[in-house]
Amino acid sequence: LAAVTALAACSPSGEEGDIPANEAAPAGNAVEANEAALKEAEQATLAEAVAGSADHKTLSQALKSAGLETTLAGPGPYTVFAPSDPAFAKLPAASNAETLMKPESKAKLTGLLAYHVVPGAVTVEDLAKAAEAAGGTAQLATLGGGNLRIARADDSIIITDAKGGQARVTQADLRQSNGMLHVVDTVLMP
């Protein structure tokens, strides 16, 4: 995620000013550095990308607790709507990450995480087109058995969960070797 996240911050022009200070590369090599980072990121599985992301420590730990990191390391393809650490921090105390990762909550945690995964590698363009074709809101079946409603609002993709909560895609199309990651700002509730 970190390598691809750095790419998302860069414009396609490859000019020196387009590279964030913490990802600086020599001016003449910006395009080559971006291509190398993209190639490296695409070699990772979804599970490896989440585990290597500084913004997804809670999700990584939750995947291990639920035993789902093996699934997301498999051939896929899958699309993961990956809640960031701040998204998990917004959960109420009764369903916070610490409570969900207790052994007695494994089934609930597994269902919650599987609700963030859909089959296939789906881009935000695919999501926007599906919503448009369906009259504004499309439905996606999750591996957890429920459905997510997808809509476009301005330049954003909004995902509505079964409880009526909404998450916004904050980073899109983070392609991995076995699927696609989209970072979301809220944990989706089945």
Side-chain angles (χ1 to χ4, degrees), residues 32-87:
E32 292 88 3
N34 287 346
E35 289 173 359
L38 181 58
K39 186 170 182 72
E40 180 180 326
E42 288 180 352
Q43 300 300 315
T45 65
L46 292 162
E48 291 167 336
V50 169
S53 170
D55 295 330
H56 292 89
K57 299 297 182 200
T58 306
L59 178 59
S60 179
Q61 185 179 0
L63 289 170
K64 288 177 186 169
S65 293
L68 290 177
E69 77 277 1
T70 305
T71 300
L72 296 183
Y78 302 109
T79 295
V80 177
F81 297 101
S84 62
D85 289 339

Side-chain angles (χ1 to χ4, degrees), residues 14-34:
E15 295 176 8
E16 182 176 9
D18 295 333
I19 300 174
N22 63 347
E23 297 291 330
N29 294 327
V31 172
E32 292 88 3
N34 287 346

Side-chain angles (χ1 to χ4, degrees), residues 1-167:
L1 276 178
V4 178
T5 301
L7 294 176
C10 299
S11 80
S13 69
E15 295 176 8
E16 182 176 9
D18 295 333
I19 300 174
N22 63 347
E23 297 291 330
N29 294 327
V31 172
E32 292 88 3
N34 287 346
E35 289 173 359
L38 181 58
K39 186 170 182 72
E40 180 180 326
E42 288 180 352
Q43 300 300 315
T45 65
L46 292 162
E48 291 167 336
V50 169
S53 170
D55 295 330
H56 292 89
K57 299 297 182 200
T58 306
L59 178 59
S60 179
Q61 185 179 0
L63 289 170
K64 288 177 186 169
S65 293
L68 290 177
E69 77 277 1
T70 305
T71 300
L72 296 183
Y78 302 109
T79 295
V80 177
F81 297 101
S84 62
D85 289 339
F88 276 101
K90 293 190 308 187
L91 287 173
S95 60
N96 69 20
E98 186 177 317
T99 301
L100 288 169
M101 286 191 252
K102 291 181 178 178
E104 61 271 18
S105 299
K106 184 175 180 177
K108 185 175 181 180
L109 177 63
T110 302
L112 176 79
L113 295 174
Y115 191 65
H116 289 77
V117 182
V118 298
V122 184
T123 66
V124 291
E125 183 178 342
D126 296 334
L127 296 172
K129 285 180 181 178
E132 185 179 321
T137 304
Q139 288 201 30
L140 286 178
T142 70
L143 293 185
N147 290 315
L148 298 171
R149 290 186 320 235
I150 307 296
R152 186 176 189 148
D154 299 320
D155 290 335
S156 297
I157 295 294
I158 305 297
I159 305 163
T160 304
D161 64 27
K163 305 260 190 236
Q166 292 188 329

